[in-house]
Amino acid sequence: MIKTLEKGLNKVKRYLKTNILMTTFVITSLINGFLVRFFTVQNYFAIKPILADLVVLLIITAFGYFIKPKHQYKYFLFWSIILTALCIINTVYYGNYISFASFSLLKTASELGGYTDAVFENILEIKDFIFLWQIFALTFVHLQLKRKNYYKKVKDENGKIRFLNTCVVSLITLGFFISMLSSVDLSRLNKQWNRPSIVMEFGIYFYQVNDAFTSVKTKVNEMFGYDEAYKTFREYYENEKESHTSNPYTDLFKGKNVIVIHGESIQGFTMNLKFNGEELTPNLNKMAREGIYFTNYYAQESVGNSSDSEFTSLTSLLPSSSGTVFMNYFDRDYETILKLLKEKEYYTFSMHGNNGSAWNRNMAYQYLGYDDFYYYTKDYEIDEKIGLGLSDKSFFRQSVEKIKEINDEHKNFYGTLVMLTNHTPFSDTDSFEYSVDIKTKDEETEEEVITPWLEGTKVGNYLKSVNYADSAIGYLFELLEEERKE
C-alpha cells in the first residue's frame, strides 16, 4: 500500500515537474475565476464552480500536449489572454447590469464607443485590471524556465497519451461535479435565464463555454428551424378568436396627432417624491393626475434596454432573451403601430439627441415603419451638450421647430422623441439646480440648517438628473402650447 502511494506521488511530482507552464496556467486561471466570483456573486470558496472551471481548463490544457514544450508558451499565453479578457469583460458587465456577458451580445460591442464616459466614470475600476496579473505571471515563469534551459532538459513526452490522460482526469472531475448538481441548477444552465446563479454554481469559464454553445444553437435553429417556427406562430394567431375589440377609450383620439416621449431611465419611485417639500417630478405628477397613469406596469426589456422598450411599445412583442432585437433581428417584417397608422395616412418619425447608429436605430427604424429619423449632428445644432449628447431642453426646442414644419406638410403624424440627458453616468450635476440636501431648523437658534445627505452620491446625481428630465418635459409642453396658440 505504501509503495503504491509512493509510486503515485512520484508520478504526480514528475508530472508537475515536467509541466510547470501548464500548472501555472491552470492555477492562475483558477485564481482569476475565483476573483470574478469575489467581485461579483461573492461565493468565494464554493467547490462546485472550482471543479467546473477546472474541467474547462483541463480540456484546454490537454490540447497543449500536441505542441512541443518549447512552443507551449505561445499556446498558453493565447488562452491566458482570452480568459483574462473574459474575466475583465464579465466583471465590468456585472458592475453595470448585475448579470454576465454573452456571446450573443457581440453585435452590440460597437455601442461601447458612444458610452465611453459611462464606462470609465461609473463602471471601469482599478480592480478590473487585476486579472492581467495572469499574463505577467505566465510570462515570468516562461522566462525563468527559458533561462534555466528547462525546455531543452524536458523530454518530449508522448502527446497523445498525455492528452488522453488529461481528458480522463477532466471527465472524472466532471463526474464529481455533475453528482453535486440539482435539477434546478441544470435547468438554469439550459435556459440561461439566471446568469448570476449559473456563475455561482458553474464558474465563469464553464458558463462562458455553455453560453457559446447556446448562442451557436440559436443561430442554427434560426437557419434550419425558421419555417417550422413561422408555421407555429401563424397557426396560433389564426386560431385565436378576437375578443374585447372595443373599450371605453376606443376612437377617443381618432384622427389626432401623436407625440410619444421616450423618457430615459425614469424610475417609478421618483414619482411624487419630495425633498424639502419640493416635488422631484412636478410635471410628470401633473400628467399622472390629469391623464391616465398606469401603476401596475413592469419593465419587459432584455439586454437591449432602451431599444427593447421601443420595440415592445411598437410591436407588443417581447424582446429577444438572447442578444438584442435591434441588432440580431432588426430586418424582420413586424406588424407595428407605425405601419397601422401609415395606412391611415400618418407620417411617422423619430427624433433623438444621440448618434443615429446607437443601438442600430438607423437600420431598425426602417423595418419598424418610421418614415424618417432625425438625430444628433445630422439634423441638430449641438449648442448645449450634457452627458452623452445634446441636452434634452435643446433637443426639445429644436425638435418642436421640426414638428411645426411636419405639421404644415402632413395631415397627421406620429412622432417619437427619445430623451437622452438622464442617462448614466449622471455626472454633469453642475447643469442641474435641484438639491438633494435636507433642510432642517436648529431647535435652539431656529436657523435653517442644510444637512448633506445624497449630495455628491450616484443616487443623488441620478435624482437631480431626473428632476432635469422632468423640467425638460415641462419645457416641451410649454413650447407645444405656444405653437398651438399661434
Side-chain angles (χ1 to χ4, degrees):
M1 183 71 176
I2 295 175
K3 289 183 178 180
T4 303
L5 288 174
E6 288 180 351
K7 188 177 180 181
L9 287 173
N10 288 331
K11 285 186 176 181
V12 171
K13 288 180 180 179
R14 183 175 178 278
Y15 182 83
L16 294 176
K17 188 176 180 181
T18 56
N19 290 276
I20 295 176
L21 205 60
M22 177 277 289
T23 305
T24 302
F25 167 74
V26 171
I27 292 175
T28 54
S29 298
L30 285 175
I31 293 174
N32 267 358
F34 160 82
L35 289 174
V36 169
R37 299 195 307 279
F38 178 83
F39 292 134
T40 56
V41 294
Q42 299 182 347
N43 63 333
Y44 313 132
F45 299 108
I47 188 64
K48 284 196 287 187
I50 294 175
L51 289 176
D53 281 344
L54 184 60
V55 170
V56 176
L57 295 173
L58 287 175
I59 292 174
I60 292 174
T61 300
F63 286 95
Y65 289 120
F66 292 119
I67 302 172
K68 291 184 177 181
K70 63 180 179 179
H71 298 307
Q72 285 181 355
Y73 167 70
K74 294 179 181 178
Y75 175 78
F76 288 119
L77 178 63
F78 168 79
W79 279 108
S80 293
I81 293 173
I82 295 295
L83 298 184
T84 298
L86 288 177
C87 290
I88 294 174
I89 290 170
N90 278 285
T91 304
V92 171
Y93 191 88
Y94 187 90
N96 190 33
Y97 297 108
I98 317 300
S99 185
F100 292 92
S102 168
F103 283 101
S104 61
L105 297 173
L106 288 176
K107 285 188 178 181
T108 65
S110 60
E111 295 305 306
L112 189 61
Y115 301 94
T116 306
D117 292 342
V119 171
F120 282 99
E121 184 157 346
N122 265 15
I123 304 172
L124 205 58
E125 301 176 11
I126 294 177
K127 68 175 177 59
D128 299 321
F129 296 100
I130 291 177
F131 301 100
L132 294 172
W133 81 278
Q134 178 182 6
I135 297 172
F136 295 116
L138 188 73
T139 302
F140 175 78
V141 170
H142 164 68
L143 293 175
Q144 292 299 312
L145 295 176
K146 191 175 181 181
R147 184 174 62 85
K148 296 178 180 179
N149 293 320
Y150 169 83
Y151 298 114
K152 293 181 179 180
K153 295 176 182 178
V154 175
K155 296 179 180 179
D156 290 344
E157 301 287 345
N158 190 321
K160 291 183 180 179
I161 293 177
R162 289 211 160 182
F163 169 80
L164 292 173
N165 288 341
T166 305
C167 286
V168 169
V169 174
S170 178
L171 289 173
I172 293 172
T173 306
L174 180 62
F176 277 115
F177 169 65
I178 292 175
S179 68
M180 302 170 69
L181 297 175
S182 67
S183 58
V184 175
D185 294 332
L186 294 173
S187 174
R188 286 174 175 169
L189 181 68
N190 179 49
K191 297 178 180 178
Q192 292 277 82
W193 63 269
N194 191 333
R195 290 174 181 173
S197 294
I198 295 174
V199 173
M200 286 179 69
E201 302 299 330
F202 293 85
I204 189 63
Y205 305 131
F206 200 101
Y207 156 75
Q208 211 72 75
V209 170
N210 180 72
D211 175 73
F213 279 113
T214 301
S215 299
V216 171
K217 183 176 70 174
T218 300
K219 293 300 179 184
V220 171
N221 289 341
E222 214 177 288
M223 293 169 60
F224 299 102
Y226 176 80
D227 292 337
E228 184 63 30
Y230 182 77
K231 182 174 180 252
T232 303
F233 181 84
R234 284 298 178 192
E235 286 179 352
Y236 173 81
Y237 281 102
E238 286 174 1
N239 295 329
E240 281 291 294
K241 293 182 179 179
E242 292 187 5
S243 60
H244 304 293
T245 54
S246 64
N247 58 56
Y249 306 106
T250 301
D251 294 335
L252 184 63
F253 298 108
K254 186 176 181 179
K256 299 292 185 181
N257 293 327
V258 181
I259 295 178
V260 177
I261 304 171
H262 184 106
E264 172 64 45
S265 302
I266 300 177
Q267 298 291 321
F269 80 90
T270 61
M271 298 286 288
N272 298 310
L273 187 63
K274 296 181 180 179
F275 284 83
N276 305 308
E278 185 179 351
E279 289 181 303
L280 179 70
T281 56
N283 294 294
L284 290 176
N285 295 341
K286 183 180 179 182
M287 290 174 63
R289 289 193 301 268
E290 298 178 355
I292 303 174
Y293 178 46
F294 300 96
T295 56
N296 191 28
Y297 187 91
Y298 297 89
Q300 298 293 336
E301 81 278 358
S302 184
V303 294
N305 300 314
S306 295
S307 66
D308 280 348
S309 65
E310 288 186 71
F311 173 77
T312 297
S313 297
L314 294 173
T315 66
S316 294
L317 296 174
L318 292 175
S320 171
S321 60
S322 176
T324 64
V325 176
F326 271 36
M327 290 288 182
N328 296 354
Y329 309 104
F330 70 91
D331 55 348
R332 302 297 194 268
D333 183 17
Y334 296 109
E335 188 77 6
T336 70
I337 189 173
L338 302 173
K339 294 177 181 179
L340 294 174
L341 286 175
K342 285 170 74 171
E343 293 177 2
K344 304 290 185 180
E345 299 182 0
Y346 272 70
Y347 169 75
T348 60
F349 65 90
S350 180
M351 297 177 173
H352 190 26
N354 200 354
N355 294 318
S357 60
W359 289 110
N360 203 33
R361 283 187 176 94
N362 54 349
M363 296 297 294
Y365 277 175
Q366 299 175 42
Y367 292 90
L368 290 172
Y370 280 116
D371 290 315
D372 280 309
F373 180 27
Y374 303 83
Y375 59 87
Y376 209 43
T377 53
K378 182 176 79 71
D379 301 290
Y380 290 87
E381 178 187 352
I382 312 303
D383 54 1
E384 183 184 35
K385 186 176 179 180
I386 301 178
L388 299 181
L390 185 64
S391 72
D392 283 344
K393 288 188 177 180
S394 177
F395 167 66
F396 283 146
R397 175 176 52 78
Q398 296 183 60
S399 294
V400 168
E401 290 296 321
K402 301 179 191 306
I403 293 173
K404 184 180 178 181
E405 296 177 3
I406 290 171
N407 187 55
D408 293 337
E409 297 173 3
H410 300 275
K411 179 182 177 182
N412 287 114
F413 64 79
Y414 178 106
T416 302
L417 305 183
V418 184
M419 299 176 69
L420 180 64
T421 302
N422 190 44
H423 191 293
T424 184
F426 316 113
S427 57
D428 293 342
T429 54
D430 293 340
S431 305
F432 312 136
E433 299 177 357
Y434 195 81
S435 174
V436 289
D437 285 335
I438 299 298
K439 297 178 181 178
T440 58
K441 282 189 176 181
D442 187 276
E443 294 182 358
E444 296 182 0
T445 63
E446 294 190 355
E447 293 182 356
E448 189 177 79
V449 178
I450 298 177
T451 304
W453 186 44
L454 293 175
E455 196 71 43
T457 65
K458 289 181 180 180
V459 173
N461 291 346
Y462 166 71
L463 294 175
K464 294 172 73 173
S465 182
V466 169
N467 175 258
Y468 172 87
D470 178 86
S471 175
I473 292 173
Y475 178 58
L476 171 64
F477 289 160
E478 291 176 7
L479 294 173
L480 291 173
E481 183 63 24
E482 290 176 6
E483 292 298 332
R484 189 185 69 82
K485 289 179 180 179
E486 292 181 4

